[in-house]
Amino acid sequence: MTINAQAPHLERETPTPDVASPAGVTTDAAADDPFEPLSVGAMVDRVAAMAVEKTLHPWAFLVRSLVGGVMVAFGALLALMVSTGVKTPGVASLLMGLAFGMSFVLILVSGMSLITADMAAGFLAVLNRTMKVGGYAFLVGVGLFGNILGALVFVTVCGAAGGPYLGAFAERAAAVAAQKAGQPFWTAVLLAVVCTWFLQTSMCMFFKARSDVARMTFAFYGPFAFVIGGTQHVIANVGFLGLPLLLNLFHPAAPRGGISWGVGEHGLLTNLGVTTLGNLIGGTLFVALPFWVIAQLQRRRV
């Protein structure tokens, strides 16, 4: 049994290249082996169809985005928890990535929604001409709103709880938030590009794979890589920046790392705007477009 991940079932998949048998008879390798990865074209169509399906059920999509934001914020909380007190930067980053990695697995396996995945999937649908630009704008707008709101609800509950999230944890959260919010504009944009380059490549590999183990491995690798790489993800940053802000709001003695809620320097809204731009560029131009071009070239008859 393999994970369906709420993606629509395609009636017809693009066949993989035929493999010649010794007797000269050609066979479809993917049809013979149920664990053979899908072709790039079939994967592109599958991911694009997933995006179209979300726009057809907007209220369900909003709820899926809310839950997806919670899952990402949950990953941010765990990442901060396991790295608290770790003095070696590389080890701290490794632990953060290991703790954060399961967030994307949960999202893809449960069929929830993450805006950076929607950016890439929706752009593939636009390139496939199964979604209009207006539909893509709707997909990105609703997905972003739902993810941010869901993540904020989760970190608000954690901030109000205090307890284990005060003391050394609060100091660690403030330090990470200050580092992310304090980066220059172009640094933050380019790190956000790299983030979705990692993350949405793993999303495409998830839908290309056929076995449960392969899918979950690819889904884990994306967030694992972008966290240990020190990159910027718009929804993860709601957790990383929102936690110290809310801890300080409910518990004034907790440090906030010099960050603010607003649009100025070191502001949460500023960071979200910058990282959204970079994530959009990374997911569309560096992931969706190359896969779509490959699919078209493979389908072209010589």
Side-chain angles (χ1 to χ4, degrees):
M1 182 178 68
T2 56
I3 300 167
N4 185 42
Q6 300 295 324
H9 176 72
L10 298 180
E11 295 295 329
R12 179 173 58 89
E13 294 178 347
T14 302
T16 56
D18 290 339
V19 179
S21 67
V25 180
T26 60
T27 59
D28 187 337
D32 292 342
D33 184 356
F35 295 106
E36 182 74 16
L38 296 176
S39 67
V40 174
M43 178 274 291
V44 165
D45 290 344
R46 183 175 175 84
V47 173
M50 177 187 67
V52 172
E53 185 271 337
K54 289 180 178 181
T55 63
L56 296 177
H57 304 91
W59 288 109
F61 173 48
L62 176 60
V63 175
R64 290 163 71 177
S65 298
L66 288 167
V67 178
V70 170
M71 291 176 173
V72 172
F74 184 50
L77 175 76
L78 294 181
L80 291 171
M81 182 63 78
V82 299
S83 62
T84 296
V86 179
K87 302 301 181 183
T88 306
V91 175
S93 296
L94 176 62
L95 292 174
M96 291 180 73
L98 289 172
F100 198 100
M102 281 303 295
S103 62
F104 201 38
V105 178
L106 292 174
I107 289 171
L108 289 179
V109 172
S110 66
M112 297 302 107
S113 195
L114 180 62
I115 180 58
T116 45
D118 295 334
M119 289 172 175
F123 193 64
L124 283 173
V126 172
L127 293 173
N128 268 0
R129 298 183 180 180
T130 56
M131 179 183 292
K132 295 183 178 179
V133 175
Y136 181 66
F138 172 82
L139 183 79
V140 172
V142 173
L144 184 62
F145 172 78
N147 277 172
I148 290 176
L149 182 58
L152 277 176
V153 168
F154 181 83
V155 294
T156 299
V157 172
C158 295
Y165 309 132
L166 298 175
F169 174 91
E171 293 176 2
R172 170 65 177 164
V176 171
Q179 186 271 332
K180 287 185 173 293
Q183 290 175 339
F185 174 82
W186 284 111
T187 299
V189 168
L190 293 176
L191 288 178
V193 169
V194 173
C195 173
T196 39
W197 204 340
F198 278 134
L199 189 59
Q200 299 331 311
T201 297
S202 77
M203 184 265 292
C204 289
M205 293 300 96
F206 175 91
F207 285 104
K208 196 174 191 299
R210 293 200 181 194
S211 72
D212 292 352
V213 173
R215 287 186 170 190
M216 295 180 73
T217 301
F218 285 130
F220 179 87
Y221 173 76
F224 169 76
F226 90 66
V227 170
I228 66 174
T231 64
Q232 299 259 17
H233 185 278
V234 57
I235 307 305
N237 282 6
V238 175
F240 286 127
L241 276 67
L243 269 170
L245 286 169
L246 286 160
L247 283 170
N248 179 262
L249 177 65
F250 290 107
H251 311 277
R256 57 189 295 173
I259 61 176
S260 68
W261 291 98
V263 295
E265 188 177 3
H266 295 178
L268 173 64
L269 291 180
T270 298
N271 180 267
L272 296 186
V274 172
T275 51
T276 298
L277 173 63
N279 288 162
L280 181 65
I281 294 171
T284 55
L285 300 186
F286 288 84
V287 178
L289 182 60
F291 275 118
W292 182 82
V293 169
I294 292 168
Q296 301 311 303
L297 292 175
Q298 289 180 338
R299 288 167 172 165
R300 183 177 299 170
R301 293 183 180 274
V302 179

